[in-house]
Amino acid sequence: NNNNKKNKEKKAQESKAEQDEEENEVVKPIKADLGANYMHKCWAGDDQPVFVLAQKHKIRVGLAAGGRFANTECAQWYDHRTGSKMDPLLIARCHVRSTKHHARMSKLALQTAGDADISIKQLLDQAVDYVSKRMRHKMTGLEKLIHNKITSRQWGYVSRLEDTGVALIRGEKTGLEGYEDMDEIGSSQHVRVVASRMVAQIRENEQPEIHICNKEKGGGQDRLVVDGYHGFLIDHLLSSLSPDSKKQQQQPTNQILLNKSVSKVVIHDPKTDTNVSIKDSAYWGNGLDKKRNHNRKRSISVYCRDGSEYKCQYLICTVPLGVLKGRSEHSSICWVPCLSSMKRECIRALGMGTHNKVVMRFSESNVFWPPHTPQLLCPDPRFHFLNLHAYGKTGMMLCHVWPPYADSWVKLSDKQVTDQAVGVLKGMFQDKYAQKGNPKPLESVVTRWNTDPFSMGSYTYLKPGSTWDHIQILNLPHPQTGEPRVFFAGEGLSVKGFQCVDGAYESGVRAGKSVLDCYGILKA
């Protein structure tokens, strides 16, 4: 009896120790970006400003599997209904068909160049029908699920395909000309070659190496910013705000004010506004020297919802497109004078889409998925899994969620969304999950960018009817006549870096230079 009692006490102590260990894991922080976490277009080299900064600041990165974020070709696919690996030939065949669809879509996009209102979904449906007839093979139910997963990654990562404009692919250089009509592309022999290549790529991308960002390692591949953008990009931008109190006294306006929701921006006209002296009109116009500009009346009033008011000579507006659209009463901005009809039309024409995430953290001992494989997929359309554990973030799994599912969480709690994600993972790795005792996440975070009043979406996209010209027009300063007073920046205002961090950065630099140019102090 004494021995049994001791054994029970020992087991209880061991169980408590395990619980304490898990609790300690929860306390220890691990960073995970809830917004952007990749660095794109590294192939641009010195023309990609964020990539240049990442090298300068020696930040840690890991290469994206296959060179692109959420690459479906370099992912290990599992059947979420059986828990088994999927046949590489099946996955390869679906990717080959998708390539033929892409080739056909590019051709159709050029043929319909006069119709801007066509959606990606319309082109895709036509391409699928054409390729099916050409190959004399209609997709099975499972093939359709895999195909939808691939196409959602290609074009539907922030917007529904029926709401995504053809301008996204019109004129792109794919190198796929004629693929849809090449019978050898999609033959049994060709599919076997593609399957072998994909299997080799999955093996090559196992356990990605975390290294200091440089051009030589990885070339033009996308990089995962391991320690987050805040650690180097935001801190870099904040470095000009010196903590030196003496310097702050000399430049008291050089600061960032938090929790300030702007409700109204008024540009005063000294010729008509009684709040501004008429003599100040002499300071308006171009070609003014630096001294006279510094003495100029602060003719812009910025009003906040807490009742505060700030005055300035120039303004740079970087709010997301969802805020410019006025989707929320908690963040909408009234402009006086109102924005030009041309600019308002651009705001209406462009879309603000949704790309949400579920980030889950498990105990290290409870990792039930392949620990070294970066990308994990299954035919279930809701989640695209990025294994952060493989990038050194112990026990962490990130789920990319795209429309329509990213928009469907409004009535679901965070726990319900997390349970769905765990349920899909459980199905993919049934045996291992059971062996680990059906573990639950120690903690999880669910993003809701589409309902956040200060974003009202994740990032910009091209709707049917919109073109790249809308982005160029949206860049124009406000007001449209007279001297420019307000400049705009953000990921949606960059053609070169559209939807990306480098686009936001590049547009911000451009807006800053525009202000300096107004002061006449822009250096060559």
Side-chain angles (χ1 to χ4, degrees):
N1 288 338
N2 287 336
N3 287 336
N4 289 337
K5 184 178 179 181
K6 288 180 180 179
N7 288 334
K8 287 180 179 180
E9 289 177 351
K10 184 177 180 181
K11 288 181 179 179
Q13 290 173 356
E14 290 175 350
S15 177
K16 187 177 185 306
E18 289 177 359
Q19 290 178 0
D20 290 342
E21 185 178 346
E22 288 190 358
E23 289 175 3
N24 289 333
E25 283 187 298
V26 174
V27 172
K28 184 180 178 182
I30 298 179
K31 295 179 181 178
D33 274 320
L34 302 180
N37 60 348
Y38 278 100
M39 199 183 323
H40 301 290
K41 296 186 295 298
C42 297
W43 47 262
D46 292 343
D47 288 332
Q48 211 283 40
V50 176
F51 185 39
V52 172
L53 277 174
Q55 295 174 77
K56 177 181 178 182
H57 291 273
K58 295 181 172 54
I59 71 157
R60 298 195 311 149
V61 297
L63 298 179
R68 295 178 294 127
F69 101 97
N71 190 323
T72 56
E73 292 186 26
C74 290
Q76 182 64 68
W77 288 72
Y78 290 82
D79 191 327
H80 60 291
R81 300 163 302 182
T82 64
S84 59
K85 284 186 180 181
M86 300 190 74
D87 182 3
L89 288 173
L90 170 63
I91 304 301
R93 186 162 58 248
C94 290
H95 277 90
V96 169
R97 286 182 69 109
S98 289
T99 301
K100 294 172 84 73
H101 295 157
H102 192 173
R104 183 64 181 172
M105 290 170 68
S106 297
K107 186 174 183 178
L108 290 171
L110 292 175
Q111 292 175 352
T112 58
D115 190 350
D117 292 327
I118 296 178
S119 71
I120 289 287
K121 179 70 163 57
Q122 289 173 287
L123 289 190
L124 179 61
D125 287 345
Q126 293 180 48
V128 169
D129 185 58
Y130 181 88
V131 171
S132 293
K133 290 178 180 177
R134 179 81 189 186
M135 297 182 71
R136 297 184 179 88
H137 173 73
K138 285 190 175 182
M139 289 187 287
T140 65
L142 181 57
E143 286 174 336
K144 286 180 180 178
L145 286 174
I146 299 170
H147 168 259
N148 290 341
K149 195 90 167 189
I150 296 169
T151 54
S152 66
R153 161 59 191 91
Q154 285 179 303
W155 301 294
Y157 49 83
V158 75
S159 56
R160 299 169 188 247
L161 296 182
E162 58 268 28
D163 195 38
T164 305
V166 71
L168 189 66
I169 64 172
R170 183 171 284 155
E172 66 176 350
K173 297 179 181 179
T174 63
L176 301 175
E177 290 76 9
Y179 262 47
E180 72 271 33
D181 294 320
M182 295 182 186
D183 292 335
E184 63 271 25
I185 304 296
S187 65
S188 297
Q189 182 180 355
H190 177 249
V191 169
R192 284 195 294 271
V193 172
V194 173
S196 297
R197 187 190 71 227
M198 290 172 64
V199 170
Q201 285 181 317
I202 293 170
R203 190 164 49 246
E204 291 169 6
N205 285 283
E206 291 277 299
Q207 192 66 65
E209 178 189 348
I210 308 303
H211 60 278
I212 301 300
C213 186
N214 63 82
K215 292 180 182 178
E216 288 71 30
K217 190 170 184 62
Q221 296 185 62
D222 287 353
R223 270 82 165 168
L224 181 77
V225 183
V226 176
D227 298 316
Y229 269 109
H230 199 288
F232 88 98
L233 184 57
I234 305 302
D235 286 350
H236 164 73
L237 296 173
L238 290 172
S239 62
S240 63
L241 303 182
S242 172
D244 189 332
S245 59
K246 291 183 179 179
K247 188 172 182 179
Q248 284 292 341
Q249 290 174 5
Q250 296 170 2
Q251 297 176 315
T253 59
N254 190 14
Q255 57 184 311
I256 290 178
L257 303 177
L258 302 178
N259 299 314
K260 293 290 181 178
S261 176
V262 174
S263 60
K264 190 175 184 179
V265 175
V266 178
I267 303 176
H268 301 285
D269 186 343
K271 296 177 182 178
T272 59
D273 196 326
T274 57
N275 293 321
V276 181
S277 172
I278 191 69
K279 67 179 182 180
D280 290 320
S281 63
Y283 293 104
W284 289 56
N286 297 318
L288 300 175
D289 59 42
K290 179 178 178 181
K291 182 177 180 181
R292 292 183 70 187
N293 268 277
H294 277 301
N295 292 330
R296 175 184 293 178
K297 185 77 174 180
R298 295 188 174 188
S299 54
I300 300 178
S301 294
V302 180
Y303 299 94
C304 297
R305 285 178 169 77
D306 63 2
S308 56
E309 177 187 356
Y310 301 91
K311 292 185 178 295
C312 57
Q313 295 173 327
Y314 297 99
L315 181 72
I316 297 177
C317 175
T318 64
V319 299
L321 180 66
V323 175
L324 281 178
K325 284 178 174 289
R327 288 181 174 177
S328 171
E329 62 180 355
H330 301 294
S331 61
S332 61
I333 301 171
C334 173
W335 297 88
V336 180
C338 64
L339 300 177
S340 69
S341 59
M342 195 186 316
K343 189 177 285 290
R344 295 199 306 271
E345 169 58 22
C346 290
I347 293 172
R348 185 204 63 78
L350 294 168
M352 187 66 170
T354 306
H355 174 173
N356 274 320
K357 293 181 179 180
V358 183
V359 185
M360 301 178 292
R361 184 179 180 188
F362 293 81
S363 167
E364 182 177 8
S365 59
N366 282 334
V367 171
F368 57 90
W369 58 87
H372 306 308
T373 307
Q375 298 286 351
L376 300 165
L377 290 179
C378 71
D380 186 289
R382 290 171 292 178
F383 304 104
H384 299 244
F385 296 103
L386 171 63
N387 178 15
L388 292 179
H389 183 84
Y391 287 94
K393 296 181 182 292
T394 305
M396 296 192 74
M397 176 67 77
L398 185 152
C399 316
H400 291 288
V401 187
W402 300 319
Y405 308 100
D407 299 313
S408 64
W409 294 351
V410 178
K411 296 182 180 179
L412 297 178
S413 68
D414 287 1
K415 183 180 183 304
Q416 288 174 314
V417 174
T418 302
D419 286 347
Q420 287 186 13
V422 173
V424 175
L425 279 174
K426 173 185 175 181
M428 293 168 66
F429 310 107
Q430 296 174 14
D431 293 341
K432 197 73 171 178
Y433 187 79
Q435 291 173 13
K436 296 289 185 178
N438 303 325
K440 301 295 182 183
L442 298 174
E443 50 189 338
S444 62
V445 178
V446 175
T447 69
R448 297 177 184 270
W449 294 112
N450 51 319
T451 56
D452 185 321
F454 300 106
S455 60
M456 297 308 295
S458 302
Y459 43 91
T460 315
Y461 70 94
L462 297 174
K463 295 172 64 176
S466 63
T467 68
W468 298 107
D469 290 341
H470 285 102
I471 296 172
Q472 300 285 23
I473 295 171
L474 197 57
N475 269 291
L476 296 176
H478 175 63
Q480 202 166 317
T481 58
E483 184 184 6
R485 313 297 287 167
V486 181
F487 301 90
F488 296 84
E491 51 78 24
L493 281 86
S494 171
V495 173
K496 187 169 65 173
F498 188 57
Q499 300 180 329
C500 300
V501 173
D502 59 289
Y505 184 93
E506 174 264 329
S507 69
V509 170
R510 185 173 64 243
K513 287 182 177 180
S514 296
V515 172
L516 292 178
D517 193 33
C518 288
Y519 281 115
I521 57 175
L522 181 63
K523 296 180 180 179

